[in-house]
Amino acid sequence: MSVVKYTVIGGGINGLAVARQLLLDHPDAKVTLFEKEASVAQHQTSHNSGVVHAGLYYAKGSLKARLCRRGVHLIREYCKTHNLPYDECGKVVVALNAVEEERLQRLYKIALDNEVPDVRMLYGDEIKEVEPNCIGVAALHSPTTAIVSYESIAKKIAEEIESLGGTIHLSSEVEALKNEAGGIRVILKGGKVYDDTFDYAVSCSGLQSDRLAINSGDEASPKIVPFFGQYFVLDDEFTHDVKGLIYPVPDPKYPFLGVHFTKRIDGKMTIGPNAFLSFGRENYTGKNFNAKDIFDYLTYPGFWKFSLRNLPAAVRESKTVLSKQSFIDEATKYVPSLSKMTVQPATRGIRAQAMNKDGSLVDDFVVRKEGNITHIRNAPSPGATSSMAIAEYIVREVMPQPQA
């Protein structure tokens, strides 16, 4: 019997998790992963908050809800097995007024629907029992929300892939996948054709997912529109005023969570991220302009429809972009004792947000199959939390199963 050959495009945590799952489920298969950078996990995987989300925000029955809850279990067990740090520091989502408290009650119901363990509502001084310096009229407490280093997890998965017999090609940017009679061809940057064909392919290319999908014959929509998130790290003398994670109640009119306190796995405390349009899909410094990326969203009708609907939120977010003090003020609404804190800038994150032609943001994960090619078209937060569950879903439910 001939060996079944798979290729995975993208060496972020999702692509690595898919390659690993293929090797676990099909140990006799040949699995080859292509990554455009000189090492794995160089984009969204290493530019995020490191939170293992418990499932507080995702509608019952959605892929996000299902795969997040499964993903938490898989990430926790993977860290335990491989002695990687996993800190179950807990999280509170805090309401500052009656309107936010009403929204918080809806979140609580979602959390119960998703069977998030041990969640409970806190009121008044009960909040201080969890976060002594936090204020609010009510809070939703998720004690099992955790933090990790997704970069460390991804690099361990890469080691495991190679130990299981898989191949990782670094510095190998893929421009397209082509279905041919003899199999799937991988077209590398500059038009070079890889010297082998594959039976099945999975594209996990994050910030470039729409471009690779379109080049490979998939639909043009949704389009990736990049939003950056700035983080600041608290100076050490202020770190211990917050014990875990403190989040605002999300505004249903705007798809991002707002500035919050996040403990990092190295013990540092951060505030962030805000959310604002990025001038490049990989503009982590904030100092670069990528004309192709900017042209891409400025000529997309959905972008303008989204922008017109979200002007008030954009104005609010722009204040935190232009003023560090405004950024700090957003965070210290919840911890007034830190109003005089000093902070240092950290590397930005870039959210690969999929947007429809009508200007709506794609809320759920989107995994689409065209023949023997499978594309992850949308996997924002909780994409990292869900990565191993996404891999199970793709390998066991979405991809065609090889014939014996």
Side-chain angles (χ1 to χ4, degrees):
M1 185 177 69
S2 60
V3 174
V4 179
K5 294 181 289 185
Y6 297 91
T7 184
V8 178
I9 315 304
I13 195 166
N14 280 299
L16 292 163
V18 168
R20 170 183 176 268
Q21 195 65 50
L22 285 167
L23 288 161
L24 293 175
D25 285 12
H26 309 295
D28 295 326
K30 179 180 179 181
V31 177
T32 304
L33 183 144
F34 293 88
E35 163 55 38
K36 72 172 185 174
E37 305 296 352
S39 59
V40 300
Q42 293 306 295
H43 291 285
Q44 292 179 100
T45 301
S46 57
H47 293 85
N48 61 53
S49 62
V51 175
V52 182
H53 292 280
L56 303 182
Y57 306 106
Y58 320 119
K60 184 178 182 180
S62 66
L63 274 179
K64 278 188 176 182
R66 170 189 162 191
L67 300 182
C68 178
R69 288 301 313 141
R70 172 66 176 160
V72 171
H73 169 74
L74 294 173
I75 288 286
R76 183 174 59 238
E77 291 305 305
Y78 194 83
C79 289
K80 181 179 179 180
T81 299
H82 296 279
N83 296 313
L84 296 171
Y86 186 96
D87 181 357
E88 212 167 74
C89 60
K91 166 180 174 176
V92 288
V93 183
V94 181
L96 297 178
N97 53 52
V99 173
E100 290 184 352
E101 183 179 352
E102 184 178 345
R103 294 177 192 161
L104 196 63
Q105 290 289 350
R106 291 196 288 270
L107 277 189
Y108 181 44
K109 183 179 185 307
I110 290 171
L112 295 177
D113 286 343
N114 291 338
E115 299 181 1
V116 178
D118 304 323
V119 290
R120 64 188 181 111
M121 290 292 297
L122 307 175
Y123 296 95
D125 289 341
E126 290 179 321
I127 299 172
K128 294 188 178 296
E129 295 173 11
V130 177
E131 285 287 355
N133 296 301
C134 182
I135 65 168
V137 298
L140 177 60
H141 182 213
S142 170
T144 62
T145 295
I147 51 173
V148 295
S149 166
Y150 285 113
E151 182 178 10
S152 297
I153 294 170
K155 289 181 175 179
K156 178 58 67 174
I157 294 173
E159 292 176 10
E160 189 180 3
I161 288 168
E162 293 183 323
S163 72
L164 291 168
T167 301
I168 298 176
H169 291 303
L170 300 173
S171 303
S172 300
E173 184 172 352
V174 174
E175 291 186 342
L177 299 167
K178 299 297 182 184
N179 266 310
E180 298 181 353
I184 298 168
R185 285 282 183 191
V186 173
I187 314 301
L188 299 167
K189 186 176 182 180
K192 180 182 177 182
V193 180
Y194 185 68
D195 60 6
D196 198 0
T197 59
F198 299 91
D199 300 296
Y200 304 94
V202 185
S203 169
C204 310
S205 46
L207 287 157
Q208 308 298 335
S209 61
D210 57 338
R211 290 173 176 163
L212 181 53
I214 292 166
N215 290 346
S216 304
D218 196 34
E219 298 174 14
S221 189
K223 170 77 71 179
I224 293 297
V225 177
F227 290 84
F228 75 78
Q230 178 67 57
Y231 291 89
F232 288 93
V233 180
L234 278 63
D235 288 340
D236 287 348
E237 62 188 288
F238 303 102
T239 296
H240 301 294
D241 277 36
V242 178
K243 294 169 66 177
L245 314 178
I246 300 176
Y247 278 55
V249 179
D251 183 345
K253 296 179 182 178
Y254 200 61
F256 306 110
L257 292 178
V259 173
H260 47 268
F261 288 90
T262 307
K263 182 182 178 183
R264 288 195 327 201
I265 200 66
D266 62 3
K268 298 285 188 179
M269 184 64 66
T270 68
I271 55 172
N274 51 8
F276 205 73
L277 191 66
S278 176
F279 292 131
R281 296 193 182 197
E282 299 172 9
N283 182 20
Y284 298 113
T285 65
K287 298 177 181 178
N288 302 318
F289 292 78
N290 186 300
K292 179 182 178 182
D293 293 346
I294 296 170
F295 179 82
D296 232 14
Y297 59 70
L298 289 182
T299 56
Y300 186 58
F303 168 73
W304 294 104
K305 294 174 183 177
F306 169 82
S307 299
L308 290 171
R309 285 202 294 262
N310 289 278
L311 282 174
V315 171
R316 182 193 70 200
E317 292 295 308
S318 67
K319 293 177 182 177
T320 67
V321 175
L322 297 171
S323 166
K324 183 169 72 173
Q325 188 57 51
S326 292
F327 198 107
I328 291 171
D329 290 345
E330 284 295 311
T332 54
K333 289 177 183 177
Y334 303 90
V335 186
S337 64
L338 288 174
S339 61
K340 302 299 183 183
M341 67 179 170
T342 54
V343 298
Q344 305 301 322
T347 304
R348 291 180 172 198
I350 306 286
R351 180 186 177 104
Q353 178 60 59
M355 185 179 292
N356 292 314
K357 291 180 181 179
D358 65 1
S360 61
L361 300 188
V362 182
D363 185 53
D364 207 357
F365 296 146
V366 176
V367 178
R368 200 152 58 214
K369 181 171 67 71
E370 181 66 31
N372 288 345
I373 300 177
T374 301
H375 298 280
I376 297 180
R377 291 295 299 262
N378 190 52
S381 180
T385 299
S386 309
S387 55
M388 291 184 174
I390 290 172
E392 285 185 340
Y393 171 69
I394 289 173
V395 172
R396 296 176 180 177
E397 299 183 42
V398 176
M399 295 182 70
Q401 296 303 303
Q403 301 299 310

